[in-house]
């Protein structure tokens, strides 16, 4: 590619792309690991089971670590665009969610830090969308952000109370909703004017 191609790209545009790239890396790795696993079952497994299984650990853990690292510049885009305290809280919650996601990959289910990292990721991912929803509630995307953040934790009691024994389904719901927020609802999603 020529230098003129890159001249049109700003640091903010590249940072905005890092969030969706992180989502693509993490979710693709998770889904691929569920597909190639010989033992995974959506109704009875946890996604983290993939992180300790010999055939999928490298893919599952690697995609969480890689996604966490790739998405870090997105936190800068959110922080630098923040115009108030809620905007800064949104950026910090996103950053800590990504660090926690990478932590899940670095501390698989057989490690003591796994559960704290996993709980932190799901809590902070939902918090990111809720804070954004409150900050931009007057806008349609703000209302959708709030709804996205509230639906993620609701998936847990709904699934566990009525439908299944494993936790993979509410885990993937939370991960996908966080991805939807990054790609389609965030104030710093790609395609926004700089």
């Amino acid at each position: 590619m020529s230098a003129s191609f890159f001249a049109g790209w700003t640091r903010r545009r590249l940072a905005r792309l890092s969030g969706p790239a992180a989502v693509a890396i993490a979710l693709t790795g998770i889904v691929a690991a569920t597909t190639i696993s010989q033992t995974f079952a959506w109704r009875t497994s946890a996604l983290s089971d993939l992180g300790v299984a010999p055939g999928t650990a490298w893919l599952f853990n690697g995609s969480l670590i890689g996604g966490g690292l790739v998405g870090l510049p997105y936190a800068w885009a959110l922080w630098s665009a923040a115009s108030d305290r809620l905007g800064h809280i949104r950026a910090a919650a996103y950053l800590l969610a990504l660090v926690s996601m990478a932590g899940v990959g670095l501390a698989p289910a057989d490690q003591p830090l796994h559960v704290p990292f996993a709980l932190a990721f799901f809590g902070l991912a939902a918090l990111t969308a809720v804070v954004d929803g409150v900050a931009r509630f007057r806008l349609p995307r703000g209302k959708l952000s709030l709804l996205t953040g509230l639906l993620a934790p609701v998936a847990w009691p709904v699934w566990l109370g009525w439908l299944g024994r494993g936790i993979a389904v509410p885990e993937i719901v939370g991960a996908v909703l966080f991805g939807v927020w990054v790609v389609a609802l965030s104030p710093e999603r790609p395609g926004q004017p700089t």
Side-chain angles (χ1 to χ4, degrees), residues 31-113:
V31 171
T34 66
T35 303
I36 65 173
S37 173
Q38 301 294 316
T39 58
F40 179 83
W42 283 103
R43 289 186 58 87
T44 58
S45 298
L47 290 178
S48 295
D49 295 343
L50 299 163
V52 293
T56 56
W58 64 273
L59 178 58
F60 180 80
N61 296 329
S63 66
L64 296 182
I65 296 165
L69 292 173
V70 167
L72 290 177
Y74 198 70
W76 171 81
L78 290 167
W79 183 271
S80 64
S83 59
D84 58 18
R85 181 168 290 179
L86 284 175
H88 288 123
I89 293 170
R90 171 182 51 221
Y94 169 84
L95 174 66
L96 293 174
L98 268 255
V99 169
S100 298
M101 182 177 80
V104 170
L106 290 168
D110 57 358
Q111 301 295 315
L113 289 177

